[in-house]
Amino acid sequence: MIFWELFMAFFIPGIVGYGGGPASIPLIKHEVVERYSMVTTEQFGEMLALGNTLPGPIATKMAGYIGYEAAGIPGAAVALFATIAPSLLAMIFLLSLLYTFKDSPRVKKMTLYIRPAVAVLLGALAVQFFQSGMTDAGITHTIILGAGSLFLFERTRLHPAFVILAALLYGVIFLS
C-alpha cells in the first residue's frame, strides 16, 4: 500500500503541476503532508531548504528523499519514477505523433523554422558562459580554454566528453 501511496503522491503533482519545481512544491506538500502524512510540515520545510541547496530539479530530490524515508530504496525508486512518469509519457506520445507526421510538409517547415531559434538561444547561452568565464576566471584563462577547446574539437576530432574533462583538469590545476 505504501508504494501505491508514494506513486500517487508524486504522480498527481507531476500531472497537474505545470511549470515544474516551484509550481509543484505546494502540490507535493499537500500529498505527502496532508493527504498521506508521510512527513510533517517541519520535515517538509527542512527537505525543501536542503533540496534547494543541491543542484538539479527539486521535485526529484524530494521524491527520492521522501520515498527512501517511507519505504527504503524501493520507495525512492517508486517515488522517482512517479515524478518523471508524466513527462515521460507526454514525450513518448508527442514524439510518436511527430514521427507519424514526420514526412508532412507542415512538420518539415515547422522544424525548419525552429532551427534558427534554437541556434540563437544556444549562441546567447555561449556568450553568457564566455562572459561569466571572463569575469570569474579572467580573460587569459578563458581564451586558453576557448582556443584549446576549439583546437581539440576541430583539429583532433576529440570527443566532447574528453574536451570537458581536459577543461576540468585545467581548472583544477591552474584555477584552484
Side-chain angles (χ1 to χ4, degrees):
M1 190 68 172
I2 187 69
F3 295 115
W4 177 251
E5 290 176 353
L6 278 168
F7 182 82
M8 293 308 292
F10 289 97
F11 186 75
I12 291 171
I15 290 175
V16 297
Y18 179 76
S24 64
I25 290 171
L27 301 169
I28 293 171
K29 179 185 178 289
H30 173 74
E31 295 293 322
V32 299
V33 174
E34 297 165 23
R35 186 169 185 188
Y36 295 113
S37 300
M38 294 178 185
V39 294
T40 66
T41 302
E42 292 78 24
Q43 290 172 320
F44 187 85
E46 290 171 3
M47 276 186 285
L48 182 60
L50 180 63
N52 277 323
T53 64
L54 301 171
I58 187 73
T60 54
K61 290 180 279 191
M62 293 181 79
Y65 183 80
I66 292 170
Y68 183 79
E69 287 295 314
I73 292 175
V78 167
L80 281 168
F81 176 73
T83 303
I84 63 169
S87 299
L88 180 68
L89 294 173
M91 284 184 61
I92 290 170
F93 170 73
L94 292 173
L95 285 174
S96 66
L97 192 65
L98 185 63
Y99 186 73
T100 302
F101 296 105
K102 72 177 184 200
D103 295 325
S104 164
R106 287 184 176 174
V107 171
K108 287 183 178 183
K109 193 178 271 189
M110 178 186 72
T111 55
L112 226 114
Y113 290 146
I114 290 174
R115 285 182 187 166
V118 170
V120 168
L121 290 171
L122 288 173
L125 188 62
V127 168
Q128 289 174 352
F129 283 155
F130 186 75
Q131 290 172 338
S132 173
M134 285 186 15
T135 303
D136 296 341
I139 193 164
T140 306
H141 292 295
T142 302
I143 290 173
I144 290 170
L145 284 169
S149 297
L150 182 65
F151 174 78
L152 291 173
F153 279 134
E154 295 299 320
R155 295 290 182 191
T156 66
R157 303 281 185 206
L158 194 61
H159 191 276
F162 295 119
V163 175
I164 292 169
L165 183 62
L168 287 171
L169 289 173
Y170 178 90
V172 167
I173 294 169
F174 295 107
L175 299 175
S176 52

